[in-house]
Amino acid sequence: MNAPPPYGMAVQSVMVNNTPLSPAMASLSSAEHVVMEPLPPSLPSTVDETLARCPRFRILVVGNTGVGKSRLIANIFSIDQEHIDIADGRAGTADIDREYTSKDNPRFLLHDSKGFEPGITNHWGIVEKFIRQRSKKGLPVEQRLHALWYRYGNFDTSITHRYFTYRLCIEAPRSGLRLMQTADEELLKLAMNQKIPVIVVFTKLDLLYNEFFLKATRRQDQQNNPSIDHDKVVEEARGSLRASIEGFRQQFDHLKIRRFSWSSTYQPLNYVAVSTNQKFLGFLQTLEELTEVTRKCLHTEETFIPWAVAQRIDPKQKVQTSIEEGSKKYWKNLAKSTVFKGHVLKDCLWRIHMDIVKVWNFRDPEGLLAGKEFHMEMLKLNEPFMPQSQTPLDALKHLPVVAALAVIFGPIFPPLAIAFGAAGFTMVAINFLFSNYHAAPETALYLEAYIINLTLFLHELFVTALQIQWQRPLNNEVVMTTLEHFKEMKAQQIQQLIRDNAPSIRDALAVERRKRNIGDLIHGHLGMDS
């Protein structure tokens, strides 16, 4: 038999087929208490290495009070609103230097500023000083200001440059609301001095639509018209929004021309209309567009990776970041991997698993997705890709699990193998998973299948959580129900996709056969651009 793994548990006092077993190991009931073993230092997390440079995405929220700052933060980062007790609606109480964090999402950090209220004369100086200090040349990226959301009413403008994003929030203009005021102009001047691109995000879009439907209802009453042309009202609201955007653009361009001459470096404004009202049709799509536009404004890995991990609205960013992080090391050359050489295959799989889960950053206080049980469910999902070699191990299927494990590993074997046996894994599967990585096409196929299955399932779970678990923590029922649906509706199609892409063993060993990489397969299945 192969030499036992370097980790394990000495066994004694119980004999099975001349193999000594401990009383603890003789009972499968102990399997449920076994946890995943720590990974060796030689398999470090790529995601942790990336995030070490900037662990959290830093945001400053500034603007008029009473406009729903807490709600916007809670929606984008999927946290309980009361956990971010910022000065929303309480003029003059915010401390701009205070760092707000949330145990619900450790990947973002918030600064709050007082709004520009009438009679507050020194506030602009406080905001300006903070922005300049947090965007100094040479300041470590983790200490820089990555985003500033300036909430002037409910209409939102974002300005970004390298490590700095400034988002000016302004209310989607309804009757009598002025687009740009003096404080807004000062912030835009500062942004242009920093050569910062601008995104305008109109918030509380639902109030704009409500205003037009209210007008339509009044017209209906006056004209004794029994019905409202819904599409016409929506188009009128959109037309008003487009006119407001164009008005803001003209004011911005006038400010730029009046103050500066930067035709060679001028950055066009981007615009997003957003609602945080869950009753507003399409509110999730508006938030997703905001996260996507923000991502496009971030031009370095030090900021767009933390942003993609921190936000909990856009699954496409999670998919893309998983692919980018995996492709740095652990997803490369799986048929002849040098980083996995000498490591137990189950450890290679666990490293891949944990890095992908870290990118998705679910609100998972129980650690369900980082648990042994979920990992085993994903391994079972991958069972069709398990090499089915004809070995003497096949004869062990008639033995009790503990006895069969003793035959495979000898008198010392890893406790985790008990859990795998209790979960119904065959001895062939256990031997494969607990053996060292072997450079071979069948090993590569198994690893590729695991990566694709896990990524696509997490995409399914993310979308499901947005729809039915809005801003609530994951629970075991949601995870397992989604997994069963995934197995029933999508697993077979994904298996075929993977097999169709796999070269034959002869092709893999002889002539180089062009095949789509893992990222291409995931993109293709989800209908995303590569």
Side-chain angles (χ1 to χ4, degrees):
M1 289 296 164
N2 294 335
Y7 46 77
M9 180 176 178
V11 291
Q12 56 186 351
S13 79
V14 176
M15 301 292 292
V16 178
N17 288 353
N18 297 318
T19 302
L21 298 176
S22 70
M25 300 307 290
S27 172
L28 288 180
S29 64
S30 64
E32 63 187 45
H33 304 298
V34 179
V35 298
M36 297 299 297
E37 293 134 344
L39 285 165
S42 51
L43 288 176
S45 167
T46 304
V47 177
D48 284 349
E49 290 175 349
T50 298
L51 292 175
R53 298 191 290 273
C54 183
R56 295 180 292 187
F57 195 82
R58 184 183 297 270
I59 300 175
L60 167 64
V61 179
V62 58
N64 287 355
T65 59
V67 293
K69 292 185 286 186
S70 297
R71 175 174 288 187
L72 181 63
I73 294 294
N75 284 343
I76 295 294
F77 299 106
S78 184
I79 61 173
D80 286 334
Q81 188 170 322
E82 58 269 22
H83 290 173
I84 298 295
D85 185 26
I86 59 179
D88 203 10
R90 303 190 306 277
T93 61
D95 177 4
I96 197 170
D97 291 311
R98 178 179 173 182
E99 297 179 342
Y100 291 87
T101 58
S102 171
K103 62 182 179 60
D104 293 336
N105 187 343
R107 289 302 176 188
F108 84 99
L109 188 151
L110 173 68
H111 293 272
D112 179 36
S113 167
K114 294 179 289 189
F116 294 118
E117 302 290 342
I120 301 179
T121 57
N122 65 338
H123 183 48
W124 164 242
I126 294 173
V127 174
E128 180 185 25
K129 179 181 177 182
F130 179 86
I131 292 172
R132 292 190 184 279
Q133 286 179 339
R134 287 288 179 177
S135 56
K136 283 182 180 178
K137 185 177 181 180
L139 193 68
V141 62
E142 64 180 299
Q143 297 179 24
R144 287 181 174 271
L145 181 63
H146 308 133
L148 188 158
W149 294 359
Y150 174 48
R151 298 192 60 84
Y152 159 86
N154 311 308
F155 169 172
D156 194 307
T157 305
S158 213
I159 306 173
T160 316
H161 176 62
R162 190 173 172 81
Y163 300 127
F164 178 97
T165 303
Y166 157 58
R167 185 168 302 151
L168 172 65
C169 303
I170 308 171
E171 184 172 353
R174 306 189 304 281
S175 301
L177 290 180
R178 182 170 176 261
L179 276 174
M180 190 182 298
Q181 298 187 15
T182 303
D184 310 325
E185 294 181 0
E186 291 301 320
L187 278 172
L188 291 175
K189 292 172 187 177
L190 175 60
M192 287 187 286
N193 272 323
Q194 300 290 336
K195 298 182 180 179
I196 299 170
V198 178
I199 302 170
V200 181
V201 183
F202 294 77
T203 64
K204 292 196 175 178
L205 182 62
D206 51 297
L207 298 185
L208 177 66
Y209 276 67
N210 287 346
E211 181 174 303
F212 276 84
F213 274 100
L214 185 59
K215 290 179 180 178
T217 301
R218 292 195 189 109
R219 289 197 303 265
Q220 175 191 16
D221 292 341
Q222 292 170 359
Q223 299 171 2
N224 294 321
N225 189 344
S227 63
I228 295 177
D229 188 336
H230 181 277
D231 293 339
K232 181 180 178 181
V233 175
V234 168
E235 185 53 40
E236 287 176 350
R238 289 175 177 170
S240 175
L241 182 61
R242 286 192 294 268
S244 299
I245 290 173
E246 183 57 31
F248 192 92
R249 188 197 304 274
Q250 290 175 4
Q251 287 182 265
F252 179 81
D253 287 345
H254 174 68
L255 178 64
K256 173 182 68 68
I257 294 169
R258 185 180 65 194
R259 252 316 265 228
F260 299 96
S261 174
W262 27 287
S263 57
S264 62
T265 58
Y266 171 64
Q267 299 289 334
L269 287 173
N270 295 290
Y271 300 90
V272 182
V274 168
S275 172
T276 57
N277 184 349
Q278 296 180 37
K279 296 180 180 179
F280 179 70
L281 185 63
F283 90 103
L284 270 178
Q285 286 78 2
T286 69
L287 295 176
E288 185 173 325
E289 184 180 1
L290 173 57
T291 63
E292 183 178 354
V293 171
T294 301
R295 163 63 185 87
K296 289 178 179 178
C297 290
L298 303 168
H299 304 302
T300 65
E301 182 182 85
E302 289 91 343
T303 53
F304 68 66
I305 297 295
W307 167 255
V309 173
Q311 63 83 25
R312 287 173 170 168
I313 291 293
D314 186 2
K316 299 189 298 297
Q317 293 185 48
K318 303 291 190 182
V319 170
Q320 188 58 37
T321 303
S322 296
I323 293 170
E324 290 171 358
E325 287 297 295
S327 299
K328 290 178 180 178
K329 184 190 292 187
Y330 293 121
W331 297 14
K332 294 172 66 174
N333 301 318
L334 290 175
K336 41 188 176 181
S337 172
T338 57
V339 294
F340 286 150
K341 185 178 180 180
H343 291 96
V344 179
L345 186 61
K346 74 168 184 63
D347 289 343
C348 304
L349 286 159
W350 187 234
R351 168 45 62 216
I352 288 171
H353 179 103
M354 286 304 298
D355 268 9
I356 295 174
V357 168
K358 285 177 181 179
V359 168
W360 285 84
N361 185 32
F362 279 86
R363 187 174 174 184
D364 183 15
E366 297 181 39
L368 298 172
L369 302 181
K372 168 177 62 69
E373 291 78 9
F374 175 68
H375 180 44
M376 287 187 176
E377 289 294 337
M378 294 308 302
L379 290 171
K380 288 180 183 177
L381 187 61
N382 223 45
E383 200 168 23
F385 298 95
M386 181 73 65
Q388 298 298 319
S389 57
Q390 297 299 317
T391 71
L393 292 175
D394 292 334
L396 300 180
K397 62 185 178 182
H398 300 297
L399 290 177
V401 170
V402 174
L405 291 174
V407 173
I408 295 173
F409 294 100
I412 301 176
F413 59 90
L416 189 59
I418 287 281
F420 278 78
F425 285 83
T426 66
M427 292 302 113
V428 172
I430 293 173
N431 186 62
F432 174 69
L433 293 170
F434 283 79
S435 296
N436 280 356
Y437 165 85
H438 178 59
E442 55 268 25
T443 305
L445 180 62
Y446 187 85
L447 289 168
E448 288 181 9
Y450 190 90
I451 291 168
I452 293 170
N453 274 320
L454 178 59
T455 303
L456 293 178
F457 170 71
L458 291 180
H459 180 276
E460 181 90 356
L461 182 62
F462 192 91
V463 172
T464 300
L466 281 177
Q467 293 173 346
I468 68 171
Q469 282 284 112
W470 177 248
Q471 293 191 323
R472 289 194 299 239
L474 282 182
N475 58 55
N476 190 65
E477 181 182 1
V478 170
V479 174
M480 297 311 297
T481 300
T482 306
L483 182 58
E484 289 305 313
H485 179 267
F486 184 82
K487 289 177 182 178
E488 181 180 349
M489 304 301 296
K490 299 187 177 181
Q492 189 170 358
Q493 178 187 0
I494 294 169
Q495 288 176 19
Q496 193 60 48
L497 174 73
I498 296 168
R499 292 195 182 282
D500 288 346
N501 187 61
S504 67
I505 293 179
R506 186 181 70 176
D507 288 337
L509 296 177
V511 181
E512 184 75 16
R513 175 182 180 267
R514 179 171 178 78
K515 68 171 196 169
R516 299 166 70 194
N517 64 34
I518 297 173
D520 290 340
L521 289 177
I522 294 171
H523 283 142
H525 181 78
L526 295 175
M528 292 172 56
D529 295 331
S530 299

Short mmCIF file of all heavy atoms in Angstrom, two decimals, residues 315-337:
data_model
loop_
_atom_site.label_atom_id
_atom_site.label_comp_id
_atom_site.label_asym_id
_atom_site.label_seq_id
_atom_site.Cartn_x
_atom_site.Cartn_y
_atom_site.Cartn_z
N PRO A 315 -23.54 39.91 -9.72
CA PRO A 315 -22.85 38.61 -9.76
C PRO A 315 -21.80 38.52 -10.86
O PRO A 315 -20.85 37.74 -10.74
CB PRO A 315 -24.00 37.61 -10.00
CG PRO A 315 -25.07 38.42 -10.67
CD PRO A 315 -24.96 39.80 -10.10
N LYS A 316 -21.94 39.31 -11.91
CA LYS A 316 -20.96 39.24 -13.01
C LYS A 316 -19.57 39.64 -12.52
O LYS A 316 -18.57 39.07 -12.95
CB LYS A 316 -21.39 40.16 -14.16
CG LYS A 316 -22.72 39.80 -14.80
CD LYS A 316 -22.98 40.61 -16.05
CE LYS A 316 -23.07 42.09 -15.79
NZ LYS A 316 -24.21 42.45 -14.89
N GLN A 317 -19.51 40.63 -11.63
CA GLN A 317 -18.21 41.04 -11.09
C GLN A 317 -17.61 39.95 -10.23
O GLN A 317 -16.38 39.77 -10.20
CB GLN A 317 -18.36 42.33 -10.28
CG GLN A 317 -18.72 43.54 -11.13
CD GLN A 317 -18.74 44.82 -10.31
OE1 GLN A 317 -17.81 45.10 -9.56
NE2 GLN A 317 -19.79 45.61 -10.46
N LYS A 318 -18.44 39.21 -9.52
CA LYS A 318 -17.95 38.09 -8.71
C LYS A 318 -17.36 37.00 -9.61
O LYS A 318 -16.29 36.45 -9.33
CB LYS A 318 -19.08 37.50 -7.87
CG LYS A 318 -19.78 38.48 -6.95
CD LYS A 318 -18.89 38.93 -5.81
CE LYS A 318 -19.68 39.71 -4.78
NZ LYS A 318 -18.84 40.20 -3.67
N VAL A 319 -18.08 36.69 -10.69
CA VAL A 319 -17.60 35.67 -11.63
C VAL A 319 -16.27 36.09 -12.22
O VAL A 319 -15.30 35.32 -12.24
CB VAL A 319 -18.64 35.44 -12.75
CG1 VAL A 319 -18.05 34.59 -13.87
CG2 VAL A 319 -19.90 34.78 -12.20
N GLN A 320 -16.21 37.32 -12.74
CA GLN A 320 -15.00 37.79 -13.40
C GLN A 320 -13.81 37.83 -12.45
O GLN A 320 -12.69 37.44 -12.80
CB GLN A 320 -15.24 39.18 -14.01
CG GLN A 320 -14.10 39.67 -14.89
CD GLN A 320 -13.80 38.73 -16.04
OE1 GLN A 320 -14.70 38.14 -16.64
NE2 GLN A 320 -12.52 38.57 -16.35
N THR A 321 -14.04 38.28 -11.22
CA THR A 321 -12.95 38.35 -10.25
C THR A 321 -12.49 36.95 -9.85
O THR A 321 -11.28 36.72 -9.67
CB THR A 321 -13.39 39.15 -9.02
OG1 THR A 321 -13.81 40.46 -9.43
CG2 THR A 321 -12.26 39.29 -8.02
N SER A 322 -13.41 36.01 -9.72
CA SER A 322 -13.03 34.62 -9.45
C SER A 322 -12.11 34.09 -10.54
O SER A 322 -11.09 33.44 -10.26
CB SER A 322 -14.28 33.73 -9.34
OG SER A 322 -15.09 34.10 -8.26
N ILE A 323 -12.46 34.36 -11.78
CA ILE A 323 -11.66 33.90 -12.91
C ILE A 323 -10.29 34.56 -12.90
O ILE A 323 -9.25 33.90 -13.08
CB ILE A 323 -12.40 34.17 -14.23
CG1 ILE A 323 -13.66 33.30 -14.33
CG2 ILE A 323 -11.48 33.91 -15.43
CD1 ILE A 323 -14.57 33.67 -15.48
N GLU A 324 -10.26 35.88 -12.68
CA GLU A 324 -8.99 36.60 -12.70
C GLU A 324 -8.07 36.13 -11.57
O GLU A 324 -6.86 35.95 -11.78
CB GLU A 324 -9.25 38.10 -12.59
CG GLU A 324 -9.89 38.70 -13.84
CD GLU A 324 -10.34 40.14 -13.65
OE1 GLU A 324 -10.18 40.66 -12.51
OE2 GLU A 324 -10.84 40.73 -14.61
N GLU A 325 -8.62 35.94 -10.38
CA GLU A 325 -7.80 35.50 -9.26
C GLU A 325 -7.34 34.05 -9.45
O GLU A 325 -6.18 33.71 -9.19
CB GLU A 325 -8.58 35.63 -7.95
CG GLU A 325 -8.76 37.06 -7.48
CD GLU A 325 -7.43 37.72 -7.17
OE1 GLU A 325 -6.73 37.30 -6.23
OE2 GLU A 325 -7.06 38.68 -7.89
N GLY A 326 -8.25 33.18 -9.92
CA GLY A 326 -7.87 31.79 -10.14
C GLY A 326 -6.82 31.64 -11.21
O GLY A 326 -5.91 30.80 -11.10
N SER A 327 -6.90 32.46 -12.25
CA SER A 327 -5.98 32.36 -13.38
C SER A 327 -4.57 32.83 -13.04
O SER A 327 -3.63 32.59 -13.81
CB SER A 327 -6.52 33.17 -14.57
OG SER A 327 -7.78 32.67 -14.98
N LYS A 328 -4.41 33.49 -11.91
CA LYS A 328 -3.07 33.92 -11.50
C LYS A 328 -2.19 32.73 -11.15
O LYS A 328 -0.99 32.76 -11.37
CB LYS A 328 -3.16 34.85 -10.28
CG LYS A 328 -3.75 36.22 -10.57
CD LYS A 328 -3.83 37.03 -9.28
CE LYS A 328 -4.42 38.41 -9.53
NZ LYS A 328 -4.55 39.17 -8.25
N LYS A 329 -2.79 31.69 -10.56
CA LYS A 329 -1.97 30.58 -10.10
C LYS A 329 -2.67 29.23 -10.18
O LYS A 329 -2.27 28.35 -10.94
CB LYS A 329 -1.51 30.83 -8.66
CG LYS A 329 -0.56 29.77 -8.11
CD LYS A 329 -0.32 29.92 -6.61
CE LYS A 329 0.45 31.16 -6.25
NZ LYS A 329 0.81 31.18 -4.80
N TYR A 330 -3.72 29.06 -9.39
CA TYR A 330 -4.23 27.71 -9.13
C TYR A 330 -5.08 27.13 -10.25
O TYR A 330 -5.34 25.92 -10.26
CB TYR A 330 -4.99 27.69 -7.81
CG TYR A 330 -4.10 27.93 -6.61
CD1 TYR A 330 -4.32 29.00 -5.75
CD2 TYR A 330 -3.02 27.09 -6.36
CE1 TYR A 330 -3.49 29.22 -4.65
CE2 TYR A 330 -2.18 27.30 -5.28
CZ TYR A 330 -2.41 28.37 -4.43
OH TYR A 330 -1.59 28.58 -3.35
N TRP A 331 -5.54 27.94 -11.19
CA TRP A 331 -6.32 27.40 -12.31
C TRP A 331 -5.44 27.14 -13.53
O TRP A 331 -5.94 26.70 -14.56
CB TRP A 331 -7.44 28.35 -12.70
CG TRP A 331 -8.48 28.62 -11.66
CD1 TRP A 331 -8.43 28.33 -10.34
CD2 TRP A 331 -9.76 29.23 -11.88
NE1 TRP A 331 -9.57 28.74 -9.71
CE2 TRP A 331 -10.42 29.30 -10.63
CE3 TRP A 331 -10.41 29.74 -13.00
CZ2 TRP A 331 -11.68 29.85 -10.47
CZ3 TRP A 331 -11.68 30.29 -12.84
CH2 TRP A 331 -12.30 30.33 -11.60
N LYS A 332 -4.18 27.41 -13.44
CA LYS A 332 -3.29 27.33 -14.60
C LYS A 332 -2.69 25.93 -14.75
O LYS A 332 -2.30 25.31 -13.76
CB LYS A 332 -2.16 28.36 -14.47
CG LYS A 332 -2.63 29.81 -14.52
CD LYS A 332 -1.52 30.77 -14.18
CE LYS A 332 -0.41 30.75 -15.22
NZ LYS A 332 0.60 31.80 -14.94
N ASN A 333 -2.61 25.47 -15.98
CA ASN A 333 -1.90 24.21 -16.31
C ASN A 333 -2.28 23.07 -15.37
O ASN A 333 -1.42 22.42 -14.76
CB ASN A 333 -0.38 24.43 -16.26
CG ASN A 333 0.07 25.51 -17.22
OD1 ASN A 333 -0.40 25.59 -18.35
ND2 ASN A 333 0.98 26.36 -16.76
N LEU A 334 -3.59 22.82 -15.24
CA LEU A 334 -4.04 21.84 -14.27
C LEU A 334 -3.59 20.42 -14.60
O LEU A 334 -3.52 19.56 -13.71
CB LEU A 334 -5.57 21.89 -14.17
CG LEU A 334 -6.14 23.15 -13.52
CD1 LEU A 334 -7.66 23.16 -13.59
CD2 LEU A 334 -5.67 23.28 -12.08
N ALA A 335 -3.26 20.14 -15.85
CA ALA A 335 -2.80 18.80 -16.23
C ALA A 335 -1.35 18.56 -15.83
O ALA A 335 -0.91 17.41 -15.75
CB ALA A 335 -2.97 18.58 -17.73
N LYS A 336 -0.61 19.62 -15.59
CA LYS A 336 0.79 19.49 -15.18
C LYS A 336 1.17 20.68 -14.29
O LYS A 336 2.11 21.41 -14.54
CB LYS A 336 1.71 19.42 -16.39
CG LYS A 336 1.36 20.36 -17.53
CD LYS A 336 2.20 20.09 -18.75
CE LYS A 336 1.77 20.99 -19.91
NZ LYS A 336 2.54 20.73 -21.13
N SER A 337 0.41 20.82 -13.23
CA SER A 337 0.57 21.96 -12.32
C SER A 337 1.83 21.81 -11.48
O SER A 337 2.06 20.77 -10.85
CB SER A 337 -0.65 22.09 -11.40
OG SER A 337 -0.43 23.05 -10.41
#
